[in-house]
Amino acid sequence: MAPTNIKPITVYGHYLPFPNPPKVFILLKLLGIPYNHVMKVASDDPTLEDGIKHPNFTSINPNGRVPAIADPNNNNFHVWESGAILQYLAEIYDTDHKFSGKTVEERSMINQWIAFQISGQAPMSGQLIWFSVPQGHLLKYGEKTPDHVLLRFRNEVRRIYSVFNAHLEQQKAKGSDWIVGDRMTIADIAWAPWTRTMIYMPTYDPTFYDEFPAVKAWFAKMEAIPAVQETIAELTAPAPKN
Amino acid sequence: MSNTPELTLYTGQTPNGIKISIALSLLSLPYKTVPISLSTHEQKSPWFTSINPNGRIPALTDHSPPSSPKTPLHIMESGAILLYLSETYDPNHKISFPKGSTEYWETIQWVFWQNAGLGPMQGQSNHFIRYAGEDIKYAKERYVNETRRLYSILEKRLEVQEVEGGSGWVVGDHVSIADITIFGWAVFAEWAGVDLKEFERVRRWRERMEGVEGVEEGRNVPEPSGLRAIMGDERKMEEFAEGSKKWILEGMKRDAK
């Protein structure tokens, strides 16, 4: 468990369906680390003071994206890129390696699944969603997405889930419900929020995960974790007032 | 740390492949190269997917990893391989920084920035500019512009490093896996429709990287790049793309099954 007297970590984030900030909140909750959530506005306008492209934020994350953190327990150290934040929090605060690798071998197995998540699942699902949301390109280009584009990203997302599914099946055969070893790690935390994102697709098909039963079972298990449920509740935007 | 590492690199002449051979060269580590024939989809063959379930290059096998020397360790994903090599075989921090230091965390951030941003987006530019077989203007525009945005972030980072730190490198005061991982993609920038003349500091940094001992040797694994001599020559690049288009589109079809 995390040591006491930890000053709250500042998390720069956003409401769902933004899929990267939840990774950070889930881990903070699991580790029992206090935090302050600073809600950023997703805008390309560099003059908007709460925006992610304002100099007051790009001085924290030069890439102008959420999440990012500032750690007052470590000279207000800034970390950005969700995969790096998971590693940082695990390294500093998960001293028992409850959710992180105990050996270099185990760390590498966790790293490769985080790297696959950030370079595969995330950007490819992101493209599929972008091209499936009418306002994504229609407003900009005034025409519907060519089949080639939609098919490319749909196929790539399906390919990624089939790789993930086969891996989870192998883990199951070894008696594990998790991505690495026999316990939930930051690799699982990295994969869960983007798995959830598919349900926000305007063309969402509830049978989408049916062809990936191991993914479906793993995801149900992840979503049942109280820290995940609390994160979803906390990051669900309040209904607009009439 | 093992004194005589036994490493096998499964690779091809691609942005992600050369990162690892460059890192291995800079660390002066001996290793065996197994070239994977991408044009015949060898990366999808069962022998290889048992090493990398994702069916992509690069992958690395350490036949004698430090805490379980009798169990070979297979690692996929270039970012994870670079972190493994730094942690295991770079005790003098030639291409990394001491664990826990500010530079250590900055390195991880920039490696992941490349893995999650520059790589996937530049890869989409390649597809829609070179291989799609269809002229889809907005897809080209979207990905080339996003790739340019990412190089502009790197340009600013290099400016901060140069002006505030007097350093020519992405992190700290020496070359690291952050430079190596970005370099793997930067050498192919023009192929993705990005002219580095637009990003002067990035262009000079790329030249600086080319001068680092070991980089030349590493980037020529498993064979020198056929693209290198024609990079920037639009007509010749078109011809080159024609040659690869067939097996790339064929690979997409196979993946869709």
Side-chain angles (χ1 to χ4, degrees), chain A residues 18-230:
Chain A
F18 272 59
N20 291 316
K23 299 172 184 173
V24 178
F25 291 101
I26 294 168
L27 182 58
L28 287 168
K29 284 177 186 295
L30 286 167
L31 290 171
I33 300 171
Y35 57 85
N36 295 318
H37 183 188
V38 176
M39 189 73 69
K40 301 306 290 183
V41 177
S43 162
D44 282 338
D45 181 358
T47 65
L48 188 70
E49 217 155 295
D50 299 338
I52 50 175
K53 306 294 175 182
H54 191 280
N56 68 18
F57 186 65
T58 56
S59 66
I60 294 167
N61 178 359
N63 197 33
R65 295 276 167 100
V66 288
I69 64 163
D71 184 355
N73 307 289
N74 185 12
N75 297 317
N76 248 359
F77 193 60
H78 298 151
V79 192
W80 48 280
E81 279 294 327
S82 60
I85 299 172
L86 290 178
Q87 295 220 344
Y88 172 83
L89 293 174
E91 179 72 27
I92 310 271
Y93 297 104
D94 182 21
T95 43
D96 304 335
H97 301 289
K98 220 174 150 201
F99 308 106
S100 55
K102 292 187 178 82
T103 62
V104 64
E105 287 87 343
E106 205 179 41
R107 276 194 288 282
S108 304
M109 293 301 97
I110 291 171
N111 278 343
Q112 68 172 6
W113 283 97
I114 290 179
F116 183 28
Q117 191 281 315
I118 64 170
S119 70
Q121 186 203 26
M124 294 304 108
S125 306
Q127 301 321 300
L128 177 59
I129 292 168
W130 165 265
F131 281 110
S132 306
V133 176
Q135 54 271 40
H137 68 277
L138 196 69
L139 276 186
K140 207 165 169 187
Y141 300 97
E143 53 182 296
K144 89 180 224 323
T145 306
D147 291 345
H148 175 110
V149 181
L150 268 178
L151 209 62
R152 170 177 176 74
F153 293 117
R154 193 177 299 140
N155 287 341
E156 181 58 9
V157 169
R158 278 185 56 220
R159 186 193 72 79
I160 288 165
Y161 280 111
S162 75
V163 171
F164 186 37
N165 193 68
H167 175 71
L168 289 170
E169 271 169 8
Q170 275 184 12
Q171 286 292 96
K172 195 96 206 161
K174 290 183 201 160
S176 167
D177 292 330
W178 310 106
I179 298 177
V180 177
D182 55 5
R183 66 194 199 282
M184 180 181 60
T185 66
I186 51 175
D188 299 281
I189 296 171
W191 277 80
W194 273 96
T195 307
R196 178 162 235 278
T197 297
M198 296 310 276
I199 65 178
Y200 294 102
M201 287 207 14
T203 54
Y204 176 64
D205 170 3
T207 65
F208 181 82
Y209 289 116
D210 282 2
E211 61 175 316
F212 311 113
V215 172
K216 217 172 159 175
W218 164 86
F219 184 57
K221 206 157 167 129
M222 282 304 291
E223 293 252 300
I225 293 168
V228 174
Q229 289 180 353
E230 285 161 28

Side-chain angles (χ1 to χ4, degrees), chain B residues 162-205:
Chain B
E162 282 169 31
V163 175
E164 288 174 19
S167 163
W169 308 107
V170 174
V171 175
D173 60 359
H174 64 75
V175 68
S176 72
I177 55 172
D179 299 281
I180 294 170
T181 200
I182 300 169
F183 180 76
W185 283 90
V187 297
F188 294 100
E190 288 79 4
W191 180 249
V194 175
D195 189 344
L196 284 196
K197 284 196 200 88
E198 200 186 335
F199 306 104
E200 191 47 29
R201 286 177 204 270
V202 176
R203 196 188 57 74
R204 278 191 273 124
W205 162 84

